[in-house]
């Protein structure tokens, strides 16, 4: 067996199918997108090579930067919300009554499709018959805002729905990591007289720091390319107030038949995401990994 | 080491060849299949792709099946092969098929802006000979024209829609208001309803084309049908005073709270819900919604009975008249330019259009683009009225976003939402659109 596995040709043979799939289905289309970004093309008629014109237009396109700003805002709030999810997980992983039930409740949004979640929140935000405004009115607010029509509020209204959508995902990751901490460490801390907050802060969180780093990268990357709830709930409107990079790309490529420009946006998004991922990893890198 | 890498490269090359060969084999097969269907003198196959699946559009589906059966029994040497997809998938697939030049012989398309990329890519065949020949004078004027680019017609419409202003008679009665004839009277109706705490107009402007219809009617009533059309086809300008005034009138309706609270965040279906739940008094919508107010059993009979419609009010001193409508043809049929059975396909299209015109009103509640004789048909009264209005229409202005190219339409729709949302002034509203139109010239 050892002899076979040290044979480079055999290794190559084993790797090959996966390699072909990855190159053909992931890296190939990626490069192709970058290539289309150099074209003026409506997706049907013949392409015209225009060089980096699309990318120059992109840099000068205020609508693009507006949507990029929204994407980064989402990334910021998603990262921030991780702290909240971590606290919830710490509580759930402790031995409290009903933690099992709560875990299931937090997990429910993960079981729903994005479109269903979008419909649900559209109903909640309905300005006249919706749950939220009915509640506000019963509390004495006379003219509650129309959440999805108000250009100042719409972005945050959608963020709430997105954060809700992903809560279960991160909570389950943290929960699993916390459950992996050896009980003996916590016991030892208890004997030394540490209170639960100290245990959480000084023992548990440092021990799962590797997982936390992964979730930070996931949250940021996921936010930058986020698309579905926004597309269904507002389509990026009203007037671009909730437009993000991915929805802007879709609009350009498929609604206005500007495939070249859409591809340029997509490729630009890829580059931004790569840079941000690299930066995040750099910033959160620590010298020594915790061992137990 | 080097040896191993050489082997790896060889393997990759080999695998690539395999993959390519597989692709090649596929397309070979496809093209030989086409040849068979085309040149084989005995049995010819027309590939037909449509978008009415049995599940979601049963009545449409059945009419199509009936027409095909009849056609096949008349032409024993021709077989029609059907592929059915739902709306969005259909549009996607059509795009993909056209990039690989494998369009079905006969398929469905939409007018003007949708058609353009396909025509510029030389995908659709000219159907002028059908309009000159067997289908001469069969269409309601203005419908087939919407499928023409540079005076050549590339599609034949199956549906025609106008946009009546539907209203709830019960709500009107309760609030003591009458059907308005003029914009002044219309505003009084709106004011009375607002004062009584009733939402006057259901509007879901998240979709934007819904708001566009309001603007188009005001532009038509103030400047006549020409002012907007001329601005779009560049014989005129979007900065025409009548188009500015239309924007101002729209803004004054917005300021009166005429529209449903939160309209810019509500989709059309949600807004329709308010009208159906009798939470709003009026609703401007295409005649494709007629079954909703006449035959749809999901809505209570009492509600359906209380729905009437009016023509959009006129503006004093305006150019437009009451019989001018905003509307346009819906889906139509095309014949692929590179079809192997082009003549048969055209013949089938011509047959289909005629049969569809005879059957679609009664069986599916569709207003066809061909002229309909309402005598002796058993139709809900509202259909008869709308069809009669249609026959007397002085003009039908095609939906603006359909008339414009995709990029300009996007600017128009954004501006509509901005105007409704008080984000632009009427002057900025026309200026932005003028710029977008001028840029494309």
């Amino acid at each position: 067996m050892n002899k076979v596995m040290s044979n480079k040709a055999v290794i190559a043979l084993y790797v090959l199918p996966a390699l072909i799939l990855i190159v053909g289905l992931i890296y190939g289309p990626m490069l192709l997108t970058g290539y289309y970004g150099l074209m003026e093309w409506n997706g049907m008629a013949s392409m015209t090579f225009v060089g980096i014109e699309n990318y120059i237009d992109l840099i000068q396109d205020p609508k693009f930067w507006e949507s990029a700003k929204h994407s980064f805002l989402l990334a910021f709030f998603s990262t921030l919300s991780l702290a909240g999810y971590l606290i919830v997980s710490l509580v759930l992983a402790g031995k409290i009554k009903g933690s099992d039930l709560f875990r299931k409740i937090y997990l429910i949004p993960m079981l729903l499709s994005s479109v269903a979640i979008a419909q649900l929140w559209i109903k909640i935000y309905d300005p006249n018959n919706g749950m939220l405004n009915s509640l506000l009115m019963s509390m004495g607010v006379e003219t509650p805002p129309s959440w999805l029509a108000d250009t100042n509020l719409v972005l945050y209204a959608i963020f709430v729905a997105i954060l809700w959508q992903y809560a279960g995902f991160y909570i389950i990751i943290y929960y699993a990591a916390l459950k992996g901490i050896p009980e003996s460490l916590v016991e030892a801390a208890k004997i030394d007289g540490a209170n639960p907050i100290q245990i959480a802060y000084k023992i548990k969180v440092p021990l799962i720091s590797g997982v936390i780093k992964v979730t930070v990268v996931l949250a940021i990357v996921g936010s930058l390319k986020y698309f579905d709830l926004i597309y269904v709930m507002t389509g990026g409107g009203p007037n671009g107030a909730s437009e993000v990079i991915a929805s802007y790309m879709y609009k350009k490529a498929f609604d206005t038949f500007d495939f070249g420009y859409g591809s340029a946006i997509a490729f630009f998004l890829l580059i931004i995401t790569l840079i941000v991922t690299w930066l995040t990893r750099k910033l959160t890198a620590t010298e020594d990994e915790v061992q137990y | 080491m080097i040896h191993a890498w050489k082997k790896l490269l060889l393997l990759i090359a080999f695998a690539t060849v395999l993959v390519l060969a597989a692709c090649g084999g596929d397309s070979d097969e496809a093209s030989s299949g086409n040849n068979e269907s085309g040149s084989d003198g005995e049995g010819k196959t027309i590939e037909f792709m449509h978008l009415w699946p049995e599940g979601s559009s049963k009545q449409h589906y059945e009419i199509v099946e009936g027409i095909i059966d009849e056609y096949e029994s008349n032409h024993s040497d021709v077989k029609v092969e059907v592929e059915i997809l739902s709306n969005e998938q259909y549009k996607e697939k059509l795009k993909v098929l056209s990039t690989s030049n494998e369009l079905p012989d006969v398929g469905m398309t939409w007018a003007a802006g949708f058609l353009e990329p396909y025509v510029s890519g030389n995908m659709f065949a000219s159907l002028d000979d059908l309009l000159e020949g067997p289908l001469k004078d069969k269409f309601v004027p203005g419908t087939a024209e919407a499928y023409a680019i540079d005076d050549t017609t590339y599609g034949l419409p199956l549906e025609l829609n106008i946009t009546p202003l539907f209203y709830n008679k019960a709500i009107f009665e309760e609030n003591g208001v009458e059907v308005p004839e003029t914009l002044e009277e219309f505003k009084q109706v709106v004011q009375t309803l607002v004062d009584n705490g009733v939402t006057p107009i259901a509007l879901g402007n998240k979709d934007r084309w819904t708001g566009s219809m309001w603007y188009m009617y005001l532009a038509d009533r103030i400047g006549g049908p020409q002012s907007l059309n001329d601005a779009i086809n560049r014989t005129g300008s979007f900065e025409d005073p009548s188009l500015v005034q239309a924007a101002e009138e729209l803004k004054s309706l917005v300021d009166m709270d005429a529209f449903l609270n939160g309209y810019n965040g509500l989709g059309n279906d949600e807004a329709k819900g308010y009208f159906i739940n009798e939470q709003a008094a009026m609703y401007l919508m295409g005649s494709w919604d007629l079954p909703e107010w006449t035959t749809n059993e999901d809505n209570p009979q009492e509600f359906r009975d209380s729905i009437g419609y009016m023509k959009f009010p006129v503006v004093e001193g305006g150019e437009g008249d009451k019989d001018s409508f905003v509307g346009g043809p819906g889906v139509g049929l095309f014949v692929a330019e590179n079809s192997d059975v082009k003549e048969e396909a055209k013949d089938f299209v011509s047959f289909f259009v005629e049969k569809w015109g005879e059957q679609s009103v009664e069986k599916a509640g569709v207003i066809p683009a061909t002229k309909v004789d309402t005598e002796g048909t058993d139709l809900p009264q509202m259909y008869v009225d709308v069809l009669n209005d249609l026959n007397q229409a002085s003009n039908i202005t095609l939906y603006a976003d359909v008339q414009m190219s995709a990029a300009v339409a996007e600017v128009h729709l954004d501006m509509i939402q901005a105007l409704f949302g008080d984000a632009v002034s009427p002057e900025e509203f026309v200026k932005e659109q003028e710029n977008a139109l001028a840029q494309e010239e």
Side-chain angles (χ1 to χ4, degrees), chain B residues 117-161:
Chain B
Y118 294 90
V119 171
S120 72
N122 207 19
M123 299 284 168
F124 292 170
S126 158
L127 298 177
D128 281 343
D129 43 344
L130 291 182
L131 281 175
E132 301 288 311
L135 293 176
K136 199 170 165 59
D137 294 330
K138 294 271 183 190
F139 287 96
V140 176
T143 55
E145 283 85 338
Y147 283 81
I149 289 177
D150 293 336
D151 292 327
T152 308
T153 311
Y154 294 95
L156 295 176
L158 294 177
E159 295 175 10
L160 171 60
N161 293 292

Side-chain angles (χ1 to χ4, degrees), chain B residues 60-94:
Chain B
H60 291 72
Y61 172 85
E62 277 169 1
I63 298 175
V64 173
E65 287 297 295
I67 294 174
I68 291 174
D69 284 347
E70 197 178 336
Y71 187 80
E72 282 179 340
S73 60
N74 292 353
H75 303 75
S76 53
D77 57 331
V78 179
K79 213 176 131 348
V80 179
E81 209 175 272
V82 189
E83 185 180 353
I84 308 169
L85 296 124
S86 66
N87 204 312
E88 291 308 308
Q89 279 95 333
Y90 180 89
K91 286 182 181 170
E92 291 295 319
K93 179 145 187 183
L94 203 64

Side-chain angles (χ1 to χ4, degrees), chain B residues 89 119 151 276 283 291 370 411-412:
Chain B
Q89 279 95 333
V119 171
D151 292 327
I276 291 175
Y283 181 56
T370 42
V411 174
H412 165 70

Side-chain angles (χ1 to χ4, degrees), chain A residues 137-170:
Chain A
M137 279 197 269
S138 72
M139 281 162 48
V141 183
E142 281 192 13
T143 48
S146 28
W147 303 95
L148 297 180
D150 189 320
T151 47
N152 297 317
L153 292 174
V154 58
L155 198 61
Y156 302 99
I158 294 179
F159 284 177
V160 169
I162 297 174
L163 298 186
W164 179 83
Q165 179 185 19
Y166 281 98
F169 176 69
Y170 290 112

Side-chain angles (χ1 to χ4, degrees), chain B residues 390-408:
Chain B
L390 207 53
N391 289 338
Q392 290 158 18
S394 62
N395 163 64
I396 292 175
T397 305
L398 183 62
Y399 298 116
D401 56 328
V402 179
Q403 278 191 61
M404 297 166 168
S405 77
V408 179

